Amino acid sequence: MFSLALMTCMAGNASSIVFNGTWTVTMDGNTQTSNDGEVTIETNPTGVDNINFVIPPFGISSVSLFSVPGATVNGITVYSTERDVQFGGSMKHAIVLARYIGGMMTAEINIPAEGITARFDNVYDHFQLPNSGFEAWTASTGEPDRWHGFKSAGGTYATTSAALVKLEKSQDVRTGATGYSAVMTANSIIGIVANGTMTNGRLMAGAMSAASLSNHAEMDKTSTETDANGDLFYMPLYAKPDAFNVWMKYTQGTANANNKASVSVKTFDGTYYQEPVDMEYTNLSGSIVGGQIPAGDWTHYSFPFDYDSYAANGAATEAIFVTFSTNGNPGQGSKNDALYVDDMQLVYLAQMTDLRYQGVTLQGWNPAVTDYTLVMDGEPNLDDFTADVTGASAVVTKTMEQTDNGYRIAISAVAGDLQTATAYIINVTVPAAGMKGDVDNSGTINISDVTALIDYLLAGGDVIEYNADVDNSGTINISDVTALIDYLLTGNYPAN
């Protein structure tokens, strides 16, 4: 689904990473897409890298950026910059935000003044469940691609179970949708109910008794067995999702309010795991909360993930195991119970909830506002900026580059799937060293500076400490107001 080339350059220790993927460009109200896009990052040991975007749509050709600061947190590298670039044959002021992990990258070039947006993506469904809309049904078993029922089951009674319990394609879909859903239907033999079940792992039918733990769904990254399409009974996961969204419809052969369908979603390290469990497993890293589905028409469900309850396991998140069943209890329910499933989505959050400078929330902080201004005496220290962000796999990165009158600091919140990213920009102004008493930095000393100094002492805010420390004591206080007024009345110029 993506390609990655790593080339070592001859000069110094620089190297280049090439990403191939899709560019989608909107310009003049029209949108064009090309699968022949490319992004090349020339990395340098200093962390200030060069980026070249090859953008086929609209004949733009390429956009090159030099000396772009990058930051890496938990494997995710982020670049954020704002500058004039050659775009489509002319210079345009662009905002660029790019991020990658391993061979997966997304990037945006926005030119707000002209309503131009260009987005690169080679992530595709790497952070989603394959065939999540159940539109692909090419397996000879008649099961949806990458999903499995009893026709691909193992175990002594696999053939018997496959004849009893159905997993089929259905044109019964939610309102507004087209295509197909997956439906599993329960059956019964001599009074024993066989629940309809579907999993992205593998079903095992090892006993006649419905309650036997030999009848289960399992997943194991060490297994080399494959399904009818040649796919492993295993699904890797590259980041922790925050929620599992899915559309489901549950009908009952015999109405019973106590009977409910079920969905189980577990994240784990990929070593053997089964449900129903036969022992206490310590390889889990998370699980959705809830999962009991009452009878009813198509409903959109959103189940949050709980990772805190599994933190003591210390397990990595490398795989995801999903199982649907017409009943949460083996052998319960009734014949012809049916569970329809469609349009699954893993949700990855990344919302910044607080942004601080030296431990104090930025003045005017609002998550919806992305631009802020600070006045400082010299070069900022990135360690002075801290932030809180939601999202189990979200990261916060910090970069800084010099501008004509100071610094541009980008504090970025990036979701684990790379799709969501927001850069909060702090424009730091560093005025040239002025003169004592020019508190408002206007270039002259007058009554406005007295007002500005009093406002600072009463309400706080930003001032140039050198200018505001009128009496040169090293502390800004009421004595500086007195010294400033004395100058205005007597002409006794503050000492520089």
Side-chain angles (χ1 to χ4, degrees), residues 39-51:
V39 177
T40 300
I41 297 179
E42 182 184 273
T43 63
N44 296 289
T46 60
V48 181
D49 304 332
N50 302 324
I51 308 175

Side-chain angles (χ1 to χ4, degrees), residues 91 141 244:
M91 294 300 294
T141 57
F244 172 70

Side-chain angles (χ1 to χ4, degrees), residues 13-92:
N13 293 319
S15 61
S16 293
I17 308 172
V18 181
F19 303 89
N20 300 110
T22 300
W23 276 104
T24 301
V25 180
T26 300
M27 183 186 299
D28 298 326
N30 299 310
T31 299
Q32 287 187 11
T33 299
S34 172
N35 294 325
D36 297 323
E38 184 178 290
V39 177
T40 300
I41 297 179
E42 182 184 273
T43 63
N44 296 289
T46 60
V48 181
D49 304 332
N50 302 324
I51 308 175
N52 185 66
F53 302 100
V54 177
I55 312 175
F58 294 104
I60 294 169
S61 182
S62 66
V63 174
S64 296
L65 301 172
F66 298 94
S67 300
V68 183
T72 301
V73 176
N74 292 346
I76 297 177
T77 299
V78 179
Y79 300 93
S80 175
T81 189
E82 183 175 353
R83 59 182 72 179
D84 293 334
V85 298
Q86 187 77 21
F87 191 97
S90 62
M91 294 300 294
K92 303 183 188 296

Side-chain angles (χ1 to χ4, degrees), residues 152-448:
S152 56
T156 305
Y157 296 94
T159 302
T160 302
S161 298
L164 282 174
V165 185
K166 297 178 181 179
L167 170 58
E168 300 172 300
K169 179 194 302 183
S170 173
Q171 291 183 304
D172 186 343
V173 296
R174 62 181 176 84
T175 302
T178 58
Y180 305 106
S181 66
V183 58
M184 59 217 77
T185 307
N187 208 333
S188 68
I189 180 171
I190 58 174
I192 300 175
V193 176
N195 296 335
T197 305
M198 177 177 69
T199 182
N200 63 345
R202 191 180 193 188
L203 295 178
M204 299 299 291
M208 284 294 293
S209 170
S212 172
L213 294 179
S214 296
N215 300 320
H216 60 262
E218 64 181 37
M219 185 178 285
D220 184 359
K221 65 181 178 182
T222 66
S223 174
T224 59
E225 293 185 289
T226 58
D227 62 16
N229 282 344
D231 294 316
L232 295 170
F233 295 97
Y234 179 78
M235 203 164 287
L237 190 64
Y238 299 99
K240 289 181 177 180
D242 295 285
F244 172 70
N245 291 356
V246 61
W247 284 86
M248 288 184 284
K249 171 183 174 179
Y250 179 45
T251 61
Q252 294 180 325
T254 301
N256 186 334
N258 293 323
N259 288 332
K260 292 180 173 62
S262 71
V263 54
S264 169
V265 185
K266 298 290 195 297
T267 61
F268 67 117
D269 65 5
T271 59
Y272 183 87
Y273 177 74
Q274 75 169 57
E275 284 191 344
V277 296
D278 57 342
M279 56 176 281
E280 182 178 352
Y281 285 88
T282 60
N283 58 347
L284 297 180
S285 65
S287 173
I288 62 168
V289 178
Q292 300 303 304
I293 313 302
D297 204 351
W298 282 103
T299 303
H300 186 251
Y301 293 90
S302 183
F303 302 102
F305 275 89
D306 168 26
Y307 296 103
D308 292 341
S309 298
Y310 302 87
N313 289 342
T317 299
E318 297 182 0
I320 185 167
F321 185 35
V322 184
T323 304
F324 297 92
S325 181
T326 55
N327 200 282
N329 298 306
Q332 301 298 308
S334 60
K335 181 179 180 180
N336 294 326
D337 287 351
L339 178 62
Y340 298 76
V341 182
D342 203 3
D343 293 339
M344 298 172 290
Q345 181 188 26
L346 296 175
V347 178
Y348 299 83
L349 300 177
Q351 181 179 10
M352 199 171 291
T353 57
D354 194 18
L355 182 54
R356 300 175 294 274
Y357 173 64
Q358 293 184 340
V360 179
T361 299
L362 286 185
Q363 186 173 2
W365 163 250
N366 182 333
V369 177
T370 56
D371 283 88
Y372 299 86
T373 301
L374 290 178
V375 178
M376 297 184 184
D377 287 340
E379 181 177 345
N381 184 345
L382 283 180
D383 291 338
D384 287 337
F385 294 90
T386 54
D388 296 331
V389 63
T390 59
S393 54
V395 300
V396 173
T397 64
K398 299 179 284 187
T399 61
M400 179 173 66
E401 57 187 333
Q402 198 161 3
T403 61
D404 291 340
N405 63 345
Y407 300 86
R408 178 186 185 271
I409 295 175
I411 315 291
S412 299
V414 182
D417 66 347
L418 305 181
Q419 296 291 350
T420 302
T422 304
Y424 291 86
I425 307 304
I426 303 169
N427 295 296
V428 177
T429 300
V430 183
M435 51 188 172
K436 297 291 187 181
D438 185 14
V439 180
D440 61 5
N441 200 39
S442 65
T444 60
I445 302 174
N446 51 36
I447 193 65
S448 296

